[in-house]
Amino acid sequence: MKKLIGLFLILFLSSTVLIAQENRTAKRGADMKAMQERMISELKLDEKQAAEYQKISDEFRSKMQSEREKMGGDRQAIFEKMKTLRAERDEKLKAVLSEEQFKQLQEKEKQMQGNRGPRGGR
């Protein structure tokens, strides 16, 4: 009986952790979509620009995630790859956005990066 209760308790706790993980992942995705929508609004993109911006951003985010998973914990390699991916993304965005919109985008990204604060050694 004690083994059964122990097993039930372990299963219950495990499922709680998994649900919390799923909620965090879903929230992150919703946050990214909200940020995209805010950027589209603030940059005053037309429908065509907005669709291209979303496509490029989604593609960039997907590639970034894939590269992080491939490289594991090699932070320097990840950093270098992210620089390359950002440069590719920026080139694609320059073709879609006006010069002024692209400049605004860069400024807003710098602000958001500054808002994250310093990152400690993980």
Side-chain angles (χ1 to χ4, degrees), residues 7 32 36 45 49 54 56 66 90 119 121:
L7 180 62
M32 294 306 282
Q36 271 185 353
L45 304 183
Q49 286 177 312
Q54 286 179 325
I56 293 167
S66 173
D90 287 351
R119 296 193 162 197

Side-chain angles (χ1 to χ4, degrees), residues 30-45 50-51 53-54 57-58 61:
D31 288 346
M32 294 306 282
K33 286 294 179 190
M35 186 180 74
Q36 271 185 353
E37 292 299 323
R38 190 175 71 239
M39 232 14 129
I40 288 168
S41 173
E42 290 178 7
L43 296 174
K44 297 177 176 69
L45 304 183
Y53 172 77
Q54 286 179 325
S57 295
D58 290 343
R61 194 178 319 64

Side-chain angles (χ1 to χ4, degrees), residues 1-48:
M1 185 66 173
K2 286 183 183 180
K3 288 181 182 179
L4 185 60
I5 292 173
L7 180 62
F8 177 73
L9 185 60
I10 289 171
L11 288 173
F12 176 74
L13 292 174
S14 298
S15 65
T16 304
V17 170
L18 288 174
I19 290 170
Q21 185 80 30
E22 287 175 12
N23 287 342
R24 212 173 320 148
T25 302
K27 184 180 183 315
R28 190 176 306 131
D31 288 346
M32 294 306 282
K33 286 294 179 190
M35 186 180 74
Q36 271 185 353
E37 292 299 323
R38 190 175 71 239
M39 232 14 129
I40 288 168
S41 173
E42 290 178 7
L43 296 174
K44 297 177 176 69
L45 304 183
D46 62 35
E47 285 183 32
K48 184 178 177 184

Side-chain angles (χ1 to χ4, degrees), residues 10-119:
I10 289 171
L11 288 173
F12 176 74
L13 292 174
S14 298
S15 65
T16 304
V17 170
L18 288 174
I19 290 170
Q21 185 80 30
E22 287 175 12
N23 287 342
R24 212 173 320 148
T25 302
K27 184 180 183 315
R28 190 176 306 131
D31 288 346
M32 294 306 282
K33 286 294 179 190
M35 186 180 74
Q36 271 185 353
E37 292 299 323
R38 190 175 71 239
M39 232 14 129
I40 288 168
S41 173
E42 290 178 7
L43 296 174
K44 297 177 176 69
L45 304 183
D46 62 35
E47 285 183 32
K48 184 178 177 184
Q49 286 177 312
E52 282 297 309
Y53 172 77
Q54 286 179 325
K55 179 182 167 191
I56 293 167
S57 295
D58 290 343
E59 179 182 298
F60 170 70
R61 194 178 319 64
S62 175
K63 284 182 181 179
M64 255 184 22
Q65 186 175 3
S66 173
E67 290 299 325
R68 279 191 189 123
E69 290 170 4
K70 276 192 233 175
M71 294 183 184
D74 187 351
R75 294 175 68 84
Q76 187 61 35
I78 292 170
F79 177 76
E80 292 301 321
K81 187 63 179 181
M82 293 307 131
K83 276 177 42 176
T84 304
L85 289 174
R86 279 189 195 95
E88 290 174 11
R89 180 203 63 171
D90 287 351
E91 286 304 311
K92 290 178 182 178
L93 287 173
K94 283 179 185 178
V96 173
L97 305 176
S98 72
E99 192 175 320
E100 181 62 29
Q101 288 170 326
F102 185 74
K103 209 181 284 187
Q104 284 179 321
L105 176 67
Q106 287 182 314
E107 289 172 11
K108 290 182 183 306
E109 286 179 344
K110 281 183 184 176
Q111 285 176 346
M112 285 188 293
Q113 200 171 30
N115 289 341
R116 282 189 246 159
R119 296 193 162 197

